[in-house]
Amino acid sequence: MRLNRILLSSALVVVALVMQVSVLARLHLPGAVPDLLLLTVLGLAMVYGHVGGALVGFGAGLLADLAPPADHAAGRYALVLCVIGYAAGLIKPENGRLKSATGPMAVVAAAAVGSTLLYAGVGALVGDTAARHVGLTGLLFSAALYDLLLAPFVVPGIMWLARRSDNDPLADSGPAAKAGDISSGWLSSGTGLRIGSQRGGLGSLKAKARTRSTRVGRIKGVKRL
């Protein structure tokens, strides 16, 4: 990975982990805890691709394994986020644009459910059966619900920062780029409208209208003569 990607990913992962441990974990919500670290990995993976997503996921998960108050085997969450980051990076489009929020939101829901199942599965292999006592069904539902509610406020901003650090034209071209960016699909409801590009479109329509009116005036003048 490039140095700017490493620095940005490290900063975002540390901030997400601190907020998750110090704020979200203290809310004592029923079921699972909103996974801000997972959303950060998803946002970076959908910009950096599957290789970058796997590396970011492994580093983020390993940091979560070692940071207090972690009470599970080191490397368990690193494996989970590495797999999730790799899978999320596979949906990165070639041109970096998505017109609808349906795809990313489906990725968030699948990642929330998949990470919970994978974490519980790895725990069962190492003898940790805590998920059985808590209730796996409730964990799956609450994890997907919380992450879906939090995703529109987190993932688009992370994706924009990732593109900005890469000097991506989609992030550096002003309002037109923001409207056409992949992250705009979260709020555009799949309309496919690009507001910034309409300026040029309106100008071209005005020019065409003037040309047509000039031609009509010429034709009428010839007929009168």
Side-chain angles (χ1 to χ4, degrees):
M1 292 180 68
R2 305 177 199 171
L3 180 60
N4 57 342
R5 289 187 174 187
I6 295 175
L7 294 176
L8 178 65
S9 301
S10 302
L12 291 176
V13 165
V14 170
V15 171
L17 181 61
V18 170
M19 291 187 63
Q20 182 167 328
V21 173
S22 61
V23 178
L24 297 179
R26 298 178 183 273
L27 296 178
H28 301 293
L29 297 173
V33 176
D35 201 338
L36 186 60
L37 196 61
L38 173 65
L39 297 178
T40 302
V41 171
L42 291 177
L44 294 173
M46 286 190 283
V47 176
Y48 294 159
H50 58 283
V51 176
L55 293 175
V56 172
F58 179 80
L62 186 60
L63 185 61
D65 289 331
L66 300 177
D71 56 353
H72 53 267
R76 180 176 171 185
Y77 202 46
L79 174 62
V80 172
L81 288 187
C82 181
V83 174
I84 295 298
Y86 181 87
L90 292 176
I91 71 161
K92 175 187 176 183
E94 294 296 332
N95 59 356
R97 297 176 184 272
L98 285 179
K99 298 290 182 63
S100 174
T102 304
M105 292 298 281
V107 171
V108 172
V113 173
S115 61
T116 304
L117 289 175
L118 188 57
Y119 186 83
V122 175
L125 292 177
V126 298
D128 185 0
T129 59
R132 297 179 181 178
H133 303 289
V134 176
L136 186 58
T137 304
L139 285 177
L140 292 175
F141 177 78
S142 58
L145 178 62
Y146 296 153
D147 291 347
L148 284 174
L149 293 176
L150 192 60
F153 304 98
V154 176
V155 180
I158 291 176
M159 296 176 71
W160 183 83
L161 287 175
R163 292 194 181 282
R164 185 82 174 182
S165 67
D166 278 354
N167 296 322
D168 194 308
L170 291 176
D172 292 335
S173 299
K178 293 179 183 178
D181 192 353
I182 182 177
S183 59
S184 65
W186 297 76
L187 301 177
S188 64
S189 302
T191 58
L193 296 177
R194 283 179 282 180
I195 299 173
S197 63
Q198 290 178 353
R199 297 177 181 176
L202 291 175
S204 61
L205 289 176
K206 291 181 180 178
K208 291 180 179 179
R210 292 175 182 174
T211 304
R212 291 177 181 175
S213 61
T214 303
R215 291 179 179 175
V216 171
R218 291 177 179 177
I219 294 174
K220 289 183 178 178
V222 172
K223 288 183 177 180
R224 289 177 182 177
L225 292 177

Short mmCIF file of all heavy atoms in Angstrom, two decimals, residues 175-214:
data_model
loop_
_atom_site.label_atom_id
_atom_site.label_comp_id
_atom_site.label_asym_id
_atom_site.label_seq_id
_atom_site.Cartn_x
_atom_site.Cartn_y
_atom_site.Cartn_z
N PRO A 175 -18.41 20.02 -6.72
CA PRO A 175 -19.76 19.47 -6.56
C PRO A 175 -20.08 18.40 -7.59
O PRO A 175 -20.78 17.45 -7.28
CB PRO A 175 -20.66 20.69 -6.73
CG PRO A 175 -19.79 21.87 -6.41
CD PRO A 175 -18.42 21.48 -6.88
N ALA A 176 -19.60 18.54 -8.80
CA ALA A 176 -19.92 17.54 -9.82
C ALA A 176 -19.33 16.19 -9.45
O ALA A 176 -19.95 15.15 -9.65
CB ALA A 176 -19.38 17.98 -11.18
N ALA A 177 -18.12 16.21 -8.89
CA ALA A 177 -17.50 14.96 -8.50
C ALA A 177 -18.22 14.35 -7.30
O ALA A 177 -18.42 13.15 -7.24
CB ALA A 177 -16.03 15.19 -8.16
N LYS A 178 -18.61 15.21 -6.35
CA LYS A 178 -19.29 14.68 -5.17
C LYS A 178 -20.62 14.06 -5.56
O LYS A 178 -21.05 13.07 -4.98
CB LYS A 178 -19.52 15.81 -4.16
CG LYS A 178 -18.23 16.34 -3.57
CD LYS A 178 -18.51 17.47 -2.61
CE LYS A 178 -17.21 18.06 -2.07
NZ LYS A 178 -17.46 19.20 -1.15
N ALA A 179 -21.31 14.64 -6.53
CA ALA A 179 -22.60 14.09 -6.94
C ALA A 179 -22.43 12.79 -7.68
O ALA A 179 -23.28 11.92 -7.62
CB ALA A 179 -23.33 15.10 -7.83
N GLY A 180 -21.31 12.64 -8.42
CA GLY A 180 -21.10 11.42 -9.18
C GLY A 180 -20.28 10.39 -8.46
O GLY A 180 -20.05 9.31 -8.98
N ASP A 181 -19.79 10.71 -7.25
CA ASP A 181 -18.94 9.80 -6.51
C ASP A 181 -19.75 8.59 -6.09
O ASP A 181 -20.96 8.62 -5.94
CB ASP A 181 -18.37 10.53 -5.29
CG ASP A 181 -17.26 9.75 -4.62
OD1 ASP A 181 -17.05 8.61 -5.04
OD2 ASP A 181 -16.63 10.29 -3.70
N ILE A 182 -19.03 7.51 -5.81
CA ILE A 182 -19.68 6.28 -5.36
C ILE A 182 -20.42 6.48 -4.05
O ILE A 182 -21.46 5.89 -3.81
CB ILE A 182 -18.62 5.17 -5.21
CG1 ILE A 182 -19.25 3.85 -4.79
CG2 ILE A 182 -17.54 5.56 -4.23
CD1 ILE A 182 -18.26 2.72 -4.70
N SER A 183 -19.89 7.40 -3.20
CA SER A 183 -20.52 7.61 -1.90
C SER A 183 -21.84 8.35 -2.01
O SER A 183 -22.65 8.31 -1.09
CB SER A 183 -19.58 8.39 -0.99
OG SER A 183 -19.27 9.63 -1.56
N SER A 184 -22.09 9.06 -3.11
CA SER A 184 -23.34 9.81 -3.25
C SER A 184 -24.54 8.90 -3.42
O SER A 184 -25.67 9.31 -3.23
CB SER A 184 -23.26 10.76 -4.45
OG SER A 184 -23.16 10.03 -5.66
N GLY A 185 -24.30 7.65 -3.79
CA GLY A 185 -25.40 6.71 -3.95
C GLY A 185 -26.15 6.42 -2.66
O GLY A 185 -27.29 6.00 -2.67
N TRP A 186 -25.50 6.68 -1.50
CA TRP A 186 -26.13 6.42 -0.21
C TRP A 186 -27.31 7.36 0.02
O TRP A 186 -28.22 7.01 0.76
CB TRP A 186 -25.11 6.60 0.91
CG TRP A 186 -24.01 5.63 0.84
CD1 TRP A 186 -22.96 5.66 -0.01
CD2 TRP A 186 -23.85 4.46 1.65
NE1 TRP A 186 -22.15 4.59 0.22
CE2 TRP A 186 -22.66 3.85 1.23
CE3 TRP A 186 -24.58 3.91 2.70
CZ2 TRP A 186 -22.20 2.69 1.83
CZ3 TRP A 186 -24.11 2.76 3.28
CH2 TRP A 186 -22.94 2.15 2.85
N LEU A 187 -27.28 8.56 -0.57
CA LEU A 187 -28.32 9.55 -0.31
C LEU A 187 -29.13 9.90 -1.55
O LEU A 187 -30.10 10.63 -1.45
CB LEU A 187 -27.70 10.83 0.26
CG LEU A 187 -26.92 10.63 1.57
CD1 LEU A 187 -26.30 11.95 1.99
CD2 LEU A 187 -27.82 10.09 2.66
N SER A 188 -28.71 9.44 -2.73
CA SER A 188 -29.39 9.83 -3.96
C SER A 188 -30.57 8.94 -4.31
O SER A 188 -31.31 9.22 -5.22
CB SER A 188 -28.40 9.82 -5.13
OG SER A 188 -27.93 8.51 -5.37
N SER A 189 -30.70 7.80 -3.59
CA SER A 189 -31.81 6.86 -3.81
C SER A 189 -31.87 6.34 -5.23
O SER A 189 -32.91 6.00 -5.74
CB SER A 189 -33.16 7.51 -3.45
OG SER A 189 -33.14 7.95 -2.11
N GLY A 190 -30.70 6.27 -5.87
CA GLY A 190 -30.64 5.65 -7.18
C GLY A 190 -31.26 6.44 -8.29
O GLY A 190 -31.69 5.87 -9.29
N THR A 191 -31.37 7.76 -8.15
CA THR A 191 -31.99 8.54 -9.22
C THR A 191 -31.10 8.65 -10.44
O THR A 191 -31.59 8.82 -11.55
CB THR A 191 -32.30 9.96 -8.72
OG1 THR A 191 -31.08 10.57 -8.27
CG2 THR A 191 -33.28 9.91 -7.57
N GLY A 192 -29.79 8.57 -10.23
CA GLY A 192 -28.87 8.67 -11.36
C GLY A 192 -28.67 10.08 -11.85
O GLY A 192 -28.04 10.30 -12.88
N LEU A 193 -29.21 11.10 -11.16
CA LEU A 193 -29.06 12.48 -11.58
C LEU A 193 -27.74 13.03 -11.09
O LEU A 193 -27.40 12.86 -9.93
CB LEU A 193 -30.21 13.33 -11.02
CG LEU A 193 -31.61 12.96 -11.52
CD1 LEU A 193 -32.64 13.83 -10.83
CD2 LEU A 193 -31.70 13.15 -13.03
N ARG A 194 -27.01 13.71 -11.97
CA ARG A 194 -25.76 14.34 -11.58
C ARG A 194 -25.94 15.84 -11.69
O ARG A 194 -25.93 16.39 -12.79
CB ARG A 194 -24.61 13.85 -12.46
CG ARG A 194 -24.16 12.45 -12.07
CD ARG A 194 -23.04 11.97 -12.95
NE ARG A 194 -23.57 11.51 -14.23
CZ ARG A 194 -22.79 11.03 -15.19
NH1 ARG A 194 -21.50 10.98 -15.04
NH2 ARG A 194 -23.32 10.63 -16.32
N ILE A 195 -26.12 16.48 -10.54
CA ILE A 195 -26.49 17.88 -10.54
C ILE A 195 -25.42 18.75 -11.14
O ILE A 195 -25.67 19.68 -11.88
CB ILE A 195 -26.80 18.34 -9.10
CG1 ILE A 195 -27.96 17.51 -8.55
CG2 ILE A 195 -27.11 19.82 -9.04
CD1 ILE A 195 -28.25 17.76 -7.09
N GLY A 196 -24.16 18.44 -10.83
CA GLY A 196 -23.08 19.27 -11.32
C GLY A 196 -22.98 19.27 -12.83
O GLY A 196 -22.66 20.28 -13.45
N SER A 197 -23.27 18.13 -13.44
CA SER A 197 -23.14 18.05 -14.89
C SER A 197 -24.29 18.72 -15.61
O SER A 197 -24.25 18.90 -16.82
CB SER A 197 -23.07 16.58 -15.31
OG SER A 197 -24.27 15.92 -14.96
N GLN A 198 -25.35 19.09 -14.87
CA GLN A 198 -26.48 19.72 -15.52
C GLN A 198 -26.17 21.14 -15.96
O GLN A 198 -26.85 21.69 -16.81
CB GLN A 198 -27.68 19.73 -14.57
CG GLN A 198 -28.27 18.34 -14.33
CD GLN A 198 -29.41 18.40 -13.36
OE1 GLN A 198 -29.68 19.43 -12.77
NE2 GLN A 198 -30.08 17.28 -13.20
N ARG A 199 -25.13 21.74 -15.36
CA ARG A 199 -24.79 23.09 -15.78
C ARG A 199 -24.38 23.14 -17.23
O ARG A 199 -24.83 23.96 -18.02
CB ARG A 199 -23.67 23.62 -14.90
CG ARG A 199 -24.06 23.73 -13.42
CD ARG A 199 -22.88 24.19 -12.60
NE ARG A 199 -23.22 24.29 -11.19
CZ ARG A 199 -22.35 24.59 -10.24
NH1 ARG A 199 -21.08 24.85 -10.58
NH2 ARG A 199 -22.73 24.66 -8.98
N GLY A 200 -23.48 22.21 -17.58
CA GLY A 200 -23.06 22.14 -18.97
C GLY A 200 -24.20 21.76 -19.88
O GLY A 200 -24.31 22.23 -21.01
N GLY A 201 -25.10 20.87 -19.35
CA GLY A 201 -26.22 20.43 -20.16
C GLY A 201 -27.17 21.56 -20.46
O GLY A 201 -27.67 21.72 -21.56
N LEU A 202 -27.45 22.41 -19.46
CA LEU A 202 -28.34 23.55 -19.68
C LEU A 202 -27.73 24.54 -20.65
O LEU A 202 -28.41 25.12 -21.49
CB LEU A 202 -28.63 24.24 -18.34
CG LEU A 202 -29.49 23.44 -17.35
CD1 LEU A 202 -29.59 24.18 -16.03
CD2 LEU A 202 -30.86 23.18 -17.93
N GLY A 203 -26.41 24.75 -20.53
CA GLY A 203 -25.74 25.67 -21.45
C GLY A 203 -25.81 25.18 -22.88
O GLY A 203 -26.06 25.97 -23.81
N SER A 204 -25.61 23.87 -23.07
CA SER A 204 -25.67 23.34 -24.43
C SER A 204 -27.08 23.42 -24.98
O SER A 204 -27.28 23.67 -26.18
CB SER A 204 -25.18 21.88 -24.43
OG SER A 204 -26.01 21.09 -23.60
N LEU A 205 -28.10 23.21 -24.11
CA LEU A 205 -29.48 23.32 -24.58
C LEU A 205 -29.80 24.75 -25.01
O LEU A 205 -30.49 24.95 -26.01
CB LEU A 205 -30.44 22.87 -23.47
CG LEU A 205 -30.47 21.38 -23.16
CD1 LEU A 205 -31.38 21.10 -21.97
CD2 LEU A 205 -30.92 20.58 -24.38
N LYS A 206 -29.32 25.74 -24.26
CA LYS A 206 -29.55 27.14 -24.64
C LYS A 206 -28.89 27.46 -25.97
O LYS A 206 -29.46 28.15 -26.83
CB LYS A 206 -29.02 28.05 -23.55
CG LYS A 206 -29.82 28.00 -22.26
CD LYS A 206 -29.24 28.94 -21.22
CE LYS A 206 -30.05 28.90 -19.92
NZ LYS A 206 -29.46 29.80 -18.90
N ALA A 207 -27.65 26.96 -26.15
CA ALA A 207 -26.94 27.22 -27.40
C ALA A 207 -27.69 26.60 -28.58
O ALA A 207 -27.81 27.21 -29.65
CB ALA A 207 -25.52 26.67 -27.32
N LYS A 208 -28.19 25.37 -28.38
CA LYS A 208 -28.94 24.72 -29.46
C LYS A 208 -30.22 25.49 -29.78
O LYS A 208 -30.61 25.62 -30.94
CB LYS A 208 -29.27 23.28 -29.06
CG LYS A 208 -28.04 22.37 -28.99
CD LYS A 208 -28.44 20.96 -28.59
CE LYS A 208 -27.24 20.04 -28.54
NZ LYS A 208 -27.61 18.67 -28.12
N ALA A 209 -30.90 25.99 -28.73
CA ALA A 209 -32.13 26.74 -28.96
C ALA A 209 -31.86 28.01 -29.75
O ALA A 209 -32.62 28.38 -30.66
CB ALA A 209 -32.79 27.07 -27.62
N ARG A 210 -30.76 28.71 -29.43
CA ARG A 210 -30.41 29.92 -30.18
C ARG A 210 -30.09 29.60 -31.63
O ARG A 210 -30.49 30.33 -32.54
CB ARG A 210 -29.21 30.59 -29.52
CG ARG A 210 -29.53 31.16 -28.13
CD ARG A 210 -28.26 31.71 -27.50
NE ARG A 210 -28.53 32.22 -26.16
CZ ARG A 210 -27.59 32.65 -25.33
NH1 ARG A 210 -26.31 32.62 -25.72
NH2 ARG A 210 -27.91 33.10 -24.14
N THR A 211 -29.38 28.51 -31.86
CA THR A 211 -29.04 28.13 -33.23
C THR A 211 -30.29 27.83 -34.03
O THR A 211 -30.44 28.24 -35.19
CB THR A 211 -28.11 26.90 -33.22
OG1 THR A 211 -26.97 27.20 -32.43
CG2 THR A 211 -27.69 26.54 -34.62
N ARG A 212 -31.22 27.10 -33.41
CA ARG A 212 -32.46 26.77 -34.11
C ARG A 212 -33.27 28.02 -34.42
O ARG A 212 -33.84 28.14 -35.51
CB ARG A 212 -33.29 25.80 -33.26
CG ARG A 212 -32.66 24.42 -33.15
CD ARG A 212 -33.49 23.53 -32.24
NE ARG A 212 -32.90 22.21 -32.11
CZ ARG A 212 -33.37 21.26 -31.29
NH1 ARG A 212 -34.46 21.51 -30.57
NH2 ARG A 212 -32.77 20.10 -31.23
N SER A 213 -33.35 28.96 -33.46
CA SER A 213 -34.13 30.18 -33.71
C SER A 213 -33.49 31.01 -34.82
O SER A 213 -34.19 31.63 -35.64
CB SER A 213 -34.22 31.01 -32.43
OG SER A 213 -32.93 31.41 -32.00
N THR A 214 -32.16 31.03 -34.90
CA THR A 214 -31.48 31.76 -35.97
C THR A 214 -31.78 31.15 -37.33
O THR A 214 -32.05 31.85 -38.31
CB THR A 214 -29.97 31.75 -35.72
OG1 THR A 214 -29.72 32.33 -34.43
CG2 THR A 214 -29.24 32.55 -36.78
#
